[in-house]
Amino acid sequence: LNPIRLPLGTHTVTHWAEDKVHNMSAQITETFVIFPPCPQKMLAATTFIELKGTVQTGYPGNPTQLCSNQSMFLNGTVNVYGDLQSPVIDKTGGNVSISGQQMLTSPNLPAQLLDMAPLVAKYSLPINNNNSRIPQGFLTPEGGLLIGSQNSLQLTAGAYYFTSLTLKGQGQLTTSGTVQILVNGPVTIGGQGGGGSFNASGPDENLWVFVAAPQPVDLNGLGQGIFKLYAPFSDLGISGNARASMCSYVQSAKLNGTSLAVASGNQLPPPPGSSGSSTASSDATEADPTFQLGEVYAYPNPAKPPYMPTLHVETGLANEVQIRIYDVSGGLVHEVSLSAAPAVIDNKYAYEYGWDTSGIGSGVYIYAITTKKTGYPDLRVTGKSAVIK
């Protein structure tokens, strides 16, 4: 038999068996989806992404890419470990640190990767889902899943359909095998009274959440979760001290926290300002904290759109890193002060800053960097960075 190759999307297939004397089995019609692999380590929004407050995305050793079709807004104590891609990247307020590339182009994400209507039509029928495995007391009369404070539910491998999904207080949801949840309504994890645990032990491949309705997906309070999220019509909101490891495809994303960390992968990210995973922590232990200048450079150099230059400064552990950028006539073009914890790159402490060059012309620019630490003389270094438009 020759293989049948179908494109990405939702497909309905009717099949049957026939023997040599033309006896035929009953026809079976099935709807299934060919879904593209979730891009690893990505938060993707078809409109905008906003990071506000004390927020960290990715962490040393585990960068997370952020991309949006229209714009990004970063305001507050924001540390981004990974690349950014959006036509507009606004970093006008607060102390923003970006360790990766900044690409001022649209990723051209489609409004949706697949048609959700056939999935709702199929999995809303009890014969096609595994809701019957759920113990009494967890399903609302309207068909929603509600895990109350102090309650715990384990879902075994299969497909589930809910009209809403709510995990309150200290409630816990765990998985055994690959679980696919289709929600035709809002999703709320965490809130007052503590933080819900949503597959917080991972791995992310064990929990796929599809949201069909134009309803919000909220992770707040002290909520924690490890999962993959496809919610093309939803506004993703993460707030408070929430921590999540999630590969996400949403309409928009607002991350507004007091100590909020989001990444992708199979373990929860560390709180903002910590060194990272166990591997990253080990690297941090090996890194030399001595306050002295190491390598200082700009990359790419020259920088040509959609890429913008990133300044890399190795100076051990400092209290502050000041960056001033001048044109060749000596005019001050840009200045910023970094006080967030450095990344650990190749077993060295390094401060990195992505310089937004969208408002300047081609030319050679001079950067002057001063690093400060209480009780030590300031360290200074200069260099050149070329920009080509």
Side-chain angles (χ1 to χ4, degrees):
L1 295 177
N2 294 323
I4 300 175
R5 300 185 184 278
L6 296 173
L8 300 176
T10 305
H11 303 273
T12 300
V13 175
T14 300
H15 58 91
W16 64 91
E18 183 176 350
D19 62 20
K20 293 182 178 180
V21 294
H22 304 297
N23 293 312
M24 297 177 59
S25 67
Q27 294 186 1
I28 300 175
T29 299
E30 295 183 287
T31 300
F32 62 95
V33 176
I34 300 177
F35 190 69
C38 182
Q40 293 300 309
K41 306 181 185 303
M42 176 178 285
L43 169 58
T46 56
T47 57
F48 70 90
I49 294 175
E50 178 181 280
L51 309 182
K52 188 176 181 181
T54 302
V55 176
Q56 179 172 305
T57 61
Y59 52 87
N62 185 25
T64 297
Q65 180 182 358
L66 277 62
C67 57
S68 63
N69 281 350
Q70 297 179 10
S71 57
M72 286 188 192
F73 304 94
L74 293 79
N75 190 323
T77 303
V78 177
N79 290 331
V80 176
Y81 294 93
D83 297 337
L84 303 181
Q85 183 177 5
S86 180
V88 176
I89 301 177
D90 186 338
K91 313 185 298 292
T92 56
N95 183 8
V96 178
S97 174
I98 301 170
S99 68
Q101 297 290 332
Q102 298 175 63
M103 294 166 278
L104 293 175
T105 59
S106 173
N108 295 319
L109 302 168
Q112 57 178 325
L113 297 173
L114 56 90
D115 185 1
M116 302 292 283
L119 297 180
V120 173
K122 176 180 179 178
Y123 289 105
S124 61
L125 300 176
I127 194 173
N128 293 327
N129 64 51
N130 300 113
N131 288 18
S132 59
R133 300 177 187 171
I134 298 175
Q136 189 175 9
F138 288 99
L139 292 176
T140 69
E142 298 78 19
L145 178 67
L146 174 60
I147 303 176
S149 183
Q150 307 299 326
N151 290 332
S152 178
L153 172 67
Q154 182 178 75
L155 295 180
T156 56
Y160 299 84
Y161 174 85
F162 308 119
T163 56
S164 62
L165 193 160
T166 305
L167 197 155
K168 293 183 175 181
Q170 299 292 333
Q172 295 187 7
L173 183 142
T174 59
T175 58
S176 175
T178 301
V179 171
Q180 297 175 331
I181 297 177
L182 175 60
V183 184
N184 196 21
V187 176
T188 305
I189 301 167
Q192 295 182 350
S197 174
F198 194 62
N199 192 46
S201 298
D204 61 349
E205 291 286 348
N206 266 19
L207 184 55
W208 294 72
V209 179
F210 300 83
V211 182
Q215 295 287 337
V217 176
D218 290 321
L219 176 65
N220 49 60
L222 296 172
Q224 299 182 352
I226 300 178
F227 57 103
K228 294 184 183 291
L229 173 68
Y230 177 71
F233 313 116
S234 295
D235 298 323
L236 172 64
I238 306 179
S239 60
N241 296 340
R243 293 165 62 203
S245 183
M246 52 195 299
C247 174
S248 308
Y249 196 103
V250 297
Q251 178 174 268
S252 70
K254 288 186 176 182
L255 282 61
N256 186 349
T258 53
S259 182
L260 187 156
V262 177
S264 298
N266 289 323
Q267 63 184 34
L268 290 171
S274 61
S275 59
S277 66
S278 57
T279 300
S281 298
S282 174
D283 291 343
T285 301
E286 297 172 4
D288 184 1
T290 303
F291 183 63
Q292 61 185 9
L293 282 176
E295 290 188 285
V296 178
Y297 54 85
Y299 70 93
N301 195 3
K304 183 177 181 179
Y307 299 101
M308 293 185 288
T310 294
L311 297 176
H312 175 97
V313 182
E314 295 174 10
T315 186
L317 291 178
N319 297 125
E320 182 183 10
V321 175
Q322 296 177 347
I323 299 173
R324 292 183 174 88
I325 301 174
Y326 302 88
D327 59 26
V328 291
S329 66
L332 181 63
V333 175
H334 182 72
E335 64 179 333
V336 68
S337 177
L338 309 179
S339 58
V344 177
I345 302 174
D346 295 331
N347 293 331
K348 298 176 183 179
Y349 286 112
Y351 296 83
E352 290 202 334
Y353 176 72
W355 176 30
D356 184 353
T357 57
S358 57
I360 69 167
S362 298
V364 176
Y365 295 85
I366 300 168
Y367 56 81
I369 296 173
T370 303
T371 67
K372 297 175 175 288
K373 185 170 183 175
T374 303
Y376 293 82
D378 294 350
L379 303 177
R380 293 180 171 85
V381 64
T382 60
K384 295 180 180 180
S385 176
V387 176
I388 299 175
K389 291 293 182 75

